[in-house]
Amino acid sequence: MSIKEYRTAAEARGGLLVLKGTPGVAFGDRVRITDHTGGVRNGQVIRTADDEVLVLVFEGTDDLDLAETWVRFLDEPMEIALSPEILGREFNGLGEPRDGRPPILSNIRRAIAGSAINPAARTYPREFIQTGISAIDGLNSLVRGQKLPIFSGSGLPHNRLAAQIVRQARLKGEDTSFSVVFAAMGVSYTDARFFRDELASSGVLRNVVMFINLADDPPVERLLLPRTALTAAEYLAFDLDRHVLVVMTDMTYYAEALREVATAKGDVPARKGYPGYLYSDLAEIYERCGRIHERHGSITMMPVVSMPSDDITHPIPDLTGYITEGQIVLSRDLHNRGIYPPVHVSPSLSRLMKDGIGKDDTREDHPRVAAQLYALYARAQETRNLASIIGADELSERDRRYLHFADAFDARFVGQGEDEDRSIEATLNLAWELISQFPREALTRLSETDLAKYHQGED
Amino acid sequence: MSDSRRSGVIRDINGPIVTIEAPGIRSGEQVRIGEAGLLGEVISLKGEQAVVQTYESTDGVRPGEPAVGLGWPLSVELGPGLLGGIFDGIQRPLEQIALASGDYIRRGLSIPALDRSRLWAFEPSPGLEPGTPLAGGMVLGTVQETATILHRILVPPGVEGELLELAPAGEYEIEATIAQVRDARGPGRDESRRLYLYHRWPVRRPRPYSQRDDGVAPLITGQRVIDSFFPLLKGGKGAVPGPFGAGKTMVQQQIARWSNADIVIYVGCGERGNELVDVLESFPQLDDPHTGRKLMERTLLVANTSNMPVVAREASIYVGITMAEYYRDMGYDVVMLADSTSRWAEALREVSGRLGQMPVEEGYPAYLASRLAAFYERAGRVETCASASGSVTLIGAVSPPGGDFSEPVTSHTKDIIETFWALSKELADARHYPSIDWDTSFSGHVPTAAQWWADEVDHGWAARRAQALKLLSRDAELSRIVNLVGPEALSDVQRWELEGAALVKEGILQQSALDEVDTFCSPPRQFALLDLVLWIYDQGAELVGRGVPVREVQSLPFLARVRRLKSIYGNDQLEGIRHFRAEVGQALDGLRLEYDQGEASR
Ligand SMILES: Nc1ncnc2c1ncn2[C@@H]1O[C@H](COP(=O)(O)OP(=O)(O)OP(=O)(O)O)[C@@H](O)[C@H]1O
Ligand SMILES: [Mg+2]
C-alpha cells in the first residue's frame, strides 16, 4: 500500500490535512505529500479511522490546492539515518541536511519517537561536571546524565551562558570533552550563528551535530526537531559510547508550536491554551536523558526555556520544572546590575547535586558550604527588603553585615568573566572568603570541623 | 477461557484511544489491540462499539486489525514475590522486562508479575482440617516472603465453602494447588475449586474487610515537623502539595525510608525515572531503624514514569492501592505513597478530553472530585476478614500548576484528606527543609497523637507542641511589624520571642534528609530537642522579664550550639542532650546570679 497515491484530501487547516477514503492507514505513519507545484511536503498520521485520516503536515498546509494534492503513505514511522558521519553536520527537524552536503547513508535507521527507558535499566547519575561557573558548580552542581534547564527571559544572556558551559564543561580530573548535540527551535538566524561561531572558534565543531529550525522555518517541524536531535544523541551516547551534552533552545517555541497544532486539532486546553498533554509531551523529550546500566556513554541535557514575561509560573517553565532535575534561573535584576552570569540562586536548584558532591567527588565541606551560602543569602535578601523600607542607615551592625555579604556574593561569587573557568576548589575557597565575614556563631549550617579548618576569621 | 474471549475489529485510532467493534464486550474488560497485541481497557460502550484506552503506544496500528476482549477487568496478581520488586503501571515486572527487551521498554510484552518458577516454603495454618468452613480473607498458611515479612496466604475474597484438602508443609511454586475447597458461591456451585499461592483481584474494586476501625497510633516518620507538629495516623490519608522543587518527593521518600510501617508501596506516577532508580539503588543498602533489616525487603515500587504511556498512569495508583490492601488483609500496616496524584488526574483529563467529555474546571472532567474521594477512601484502619487489624495509610503528592493551591486537584484533595503538609516555595528557596509551612499545614489527628505521645514518650508533648506553634505565629506577627517600622520598634521581650521562633525553626523544624545523624529522629529525641529548645526559650524569657538586656541573652554562646545539636547527638545519644541541658542551666544560673548581684550592688 506504500506505493498507492491518494488525491482525496478533503480539508486543510492549521497544518492539518484531512483525507477521506484511505482505509487501513497506520497510526503514526510517515506521509509524503506532493502539492500542485510538484513540491514535496512531509507529514505524519495523527488519527486514523476507516473513513477518515488526519495528517499533520510539517511544512504546514499553506497554499495547498486540494484537488491537486497527492498523498502517499510510506508505511514506516518517522525515522532518521545515523552514522558517525553526523558529527560536524547540520540538519533540519526531519534529519535532512541543511549544510548543502549529501544526506547520511546508513543501514542504521531509528524511529525518532524513541521509546521509554526502563527505569530498572537506569543508573543514578552521580559524576560531578565542572562547568567553571561558581553559581552552578558551587550551589547547583550539574552531574553527568542530568537534565538541567536554563530559565531565562528575552534579552538575557542564556545563549552566552550555554556556550560558556559547552566550552568549559568537563569531568573533574578528566579531559575528554563532551560531544554536543545542538537543537535550535524557532531561534533567530543571529542566535544560530552565534552558536555556530562559538563552537567553531573553540574548535569543537567536529564533535557537534546541529539540528536547526529558524524562526522563519515551518513551526510544525519544531515538533519533530528535539526528537530527531535526541535520536542522534542516543546513538552517540549508547551506540558510540560518547558523553553527550544536548543544548536545546528554545523550548518555549517548541511548546508554542505544540499549542498551535493542538488548537487546530480542537484539543481541550488546560492552562493558557496549552493542551493538557503538554506535560507528558515535554517529559517524552526530557526523560530521554540519563545514564543506563553497562553503557559507557551518557546524555546530559541543558534546555533553554525563556519565561514569557519573566513569569516562572507560566505553563512552559512550570511544567519543565516539574520534569527536569532542577533549573538555573536567570534574573533580569542581576543582568541590569551588570552581573554576568545573572544566575538568581534562590529559585535555582540542582536535585542531583547531593550525590555528585562531597568528600569523594568535590570536597568534604561542599554540601554544607552550599547550604550555608543559601541560608546567608536568604537572610541577606530579607535584609535588603528591610533596608528598602526603613533605609540602610537604620539597620543594625549585624544586618549591615548581611547587606555587604549580599553585594559581595552577587558581584564576586555569582559574577565572573565569560572566559573565566574557575576550578571547584577556587569556587569553594571564594565561598569561604565570603562566609568568613561572619563570626562562627552565625554559621550554624557548617560543622564545627568545617569552621576549624576553613574559617578565616580570628577565633 | 476461550469462549469468554470476544473478538472484534479496530475502527478508529486517536492516540491511546481506540474505538473497536466488538459485540458482547463488557465495560472495564481488558482488550488486546491489533497485531502487536497491545493491552487496553474498555472505558465506554455505545451499541456494538467500544472505546478502549490502551496502556501502550498505538504507533503502527491500523483500522481493520483485530481486537480481542480477554473477559476480565484489569487485575493484579497477589502472592509472595511482590516485595522488593518494581512493576510498571499495569503490574508488569520491570526487571524481567529489562531482561526480555533491553534498556528500552518494548510494546506488547506480557510477563506475569510473579515469578512462576520460584519455590516458596509453605507452612499450613494449624487446625485447618478437611471439612473446616472457609471464607474469603482466612489464612490458609504462611510463606516467609522476606526476612521480616511473613506472607499470609489468604482465601481470595468471595470464596466461601468447605475445605476439602490443604497441602502439607513443603516447597511450592506459585501456581501449585495448595488447597481445594467446595465453593458454595463459585460459578459451578458446590464444585471443588483450587486455590493457589496467589490470586488475582480487579484493581478498581476495593478489597473487602470486616469493619472499619478508628486510627489509634501515629505513623512515626522520624521527621520532626510531621511527627511532632502535623501527625498522620496509621490508616490516615495525607497530602503533600507544593510547587516544583519544594520537596514533595523528598518528604515521601523520607517516609518510605524511615516510617514504622510494615510494608511500603511507592508509586511513581508520572514522575522522573531517576527518582525510582534512587530508591532502587539506595534502599537495598539502608537499614530499617525499626527492624534492622534492609529497607528493600519491605518495599515495593510501581513505576509509570512521565515518559511512559499516560493511560497506564491512570491505572498505576489503583494497581498500587490494591497491593496495599492485600498486605493490609494479612494484618500489616501499609503505607502507600503516590507521587504524584496530579499526574494521575491529568491522565484522567487526557482520556476524558479525547472522549469529548465536557470539561468543568481547567479541562478536568466533572467526575474528578468523586474519583479522588473514592481513591482516598481506600485508605483506613480495618479489622480484616480474618479478624486481624491492618491499615493502609495513603499519602499523595499534589503538583499544582504554578504552585497555585486553589487549582482543582489541590482543592479537592484538601477537602478529602486529614493531614495536609503544605510545602512553601519561600521556605524551599531559603533551603529551609522540609519546606512544610507551619502556617497553612494542618492535621486532624492531633488529639489521638497526643494520647500516643503521652503514653509512649512524655506527657508534656501536647503543651510543648502548642507552645512552639504559638511562638511561630507570634513570629509572623512581629515580623510584620518589623517590616513596617523596623526592628527598633520591638521591645526586649518581643525580640526574645523572635529569637525563640528562630530556635524552633533552625533547631527543630529544619531537618536535612541528607544529614546522616538527623535524617531519622526517633520520638524520644524529637521530644528531647523540642523540650530543650522551649526550655531555653522559657529561661531566656524569664531573664529578659527580670530586666536582663536581650542582647546579653542573645549573645550566650550556647545558642549556636542548640541549633546544631540535632546533627551532633543521634537517636542513641540522648544523654548528650541532657548533658548539654545541664551545662546551659549552669550558664544561665551564672548570668542570673551576675545580674542579681549587679542589681543588688546598684
Ligand atoms: N528534607 C530535605 N532535606 C534536604 N534536602 C531537601 C529536603 N527536601 C527537599 N530537599 C531538596 O530539594 C530538592 C527538591 O526536592 P523534591 O525533588 O522532593 O521536590 P518535589 O517537590 O518533588 O519537586 P517536583 O514536583 O518537581 O517533583 C531535592 O533534590 C533536595 O535537594
Ligand atoms: Mg517530586
Side-chain angles (χ1 to χ4, degrees), chain A residues 322 351, chain B residues 245 247-250 266 271-272 275 339-340 397 399:
Chain A
Y322 272 120
R351 297 156 194 262
Chain B
K248 300 177 290 296
T249 303
M250 276 291 213
Y266 185 97
E271 294 291 306
R272 304 172 184 83
E275 292 173 346
D339 188 8
S340 155
S399 317

Side-chain angles (χ1 to χ4, degrees), chain A residues 96-171:
Chain A
E96 298 163 344
R98 271 183 73 107
D99 51 5
R101 290 163 57 194
I104 300 291
L105 291 177
S106 168
N107 300 331
I108 305 178
R109 296 183 67 80
R110 299 267 160 84
I112 63 164
S115 32
I117 301 178
N118 187 331
R122 283 186 189 264
T123 300
Y124 198 69
R126 40 177 104 241
E127 298 149 295
F128 174 79
I129 296 173
Q130 180 176 299
T131 66
I133 295 164
S134 293
I136 297 178
D137 294 354
L139 295 177
N140 297 288
S141 320
L142 174 69
V143 300
R144 215 146 135 176
Q146 180 172 14
K147 37 188 179 296
L148 189 64
I150 299 174
F151 284 6
S152 186
S154 52
L156 296 182
H158 44 264
N159 286 338
R160 281 157 60 201
L161 176 60
Q164 185 175 6
I165 293 169
V166 168
R167 276 198 314 270
Q168 298 181 352
R170 72 189 113 81
L171 234 56

Side-chain angles (χ1 to χ4, degrees), chain B residues 185-199:
Chain B
R185 300 213 315 212
R189 189 170 273 273
D190 279 350
E191 255 174 49
S192 130
R193 172 167 174 176
R194 293 161 186 278
L195 302 181
Y196 312 97
L197 276 185
Y198 80 108
H199 64 267

Side-chain angles (χ1 to χ4, degrees), chain A residues 27 47 75 279 295 318 348, chain B residues 12-13 60 62 103 270 402 431:
Chain A
F27 184 78
R47 177 163 188 175
D75 207 8
Y279 175 83
R295 303 270 186 134
D318 188 51
S348 298
Chain B
D12 182 356
I13 303 159
R62 301 165 193 277
D103 302 332
R431 270 40 175 187

Side-chain angles (χ1 to χ4, degrees), chain A residues 124 279 318 320-324 326-327 349-354, chain B residues 223 240-254 271-272 275 339-340 343 397-399 423 428 431-435 511-515:
Chain A
Y124 198 69
Y279 175 83
D318 188 51
T320 297
Y322 272 120
I323 302 164
T324 53
Q327 64 279 337
L349 171 72
S350 164
R351 297 156 194 262
L352 299 185
M353 171 170 181
K354 63 187 170 70
Chain B
Q223 312 304 302
V240 202
F244 64 81
K248 300 177 290 296
T249 303
M250 276 291 213
V251 164
Q252 292 195 310
Q253 289 193 352
Q254 284 294 83
E271 294 291 306
R272 304 172 184 83
E275 292 173 346
D339 188 8
S340 155
R343 307 300 165 219
V398 189
S399 317
L423 303 188
R431 270 40 175 187
H432 171 118
Y433 294 128
S435 67
Q511 185 177 0
S512 170
L514 310 175
D515 181 327

Side-chain angles (χ1 to χ4, degrees), chain A residues 279 319 322, chain B residues 269-271 313 340-347 399:
Chain A
Y279 175 83
L319 295 178
Y322 272 120
Chain B
C269 174
E271 294 291 306
R313 186 172 309 162
S340 155
T341 57
S342 293
R343 307 300 165 219
W344 165 82
E346 285 165 13
S399 317

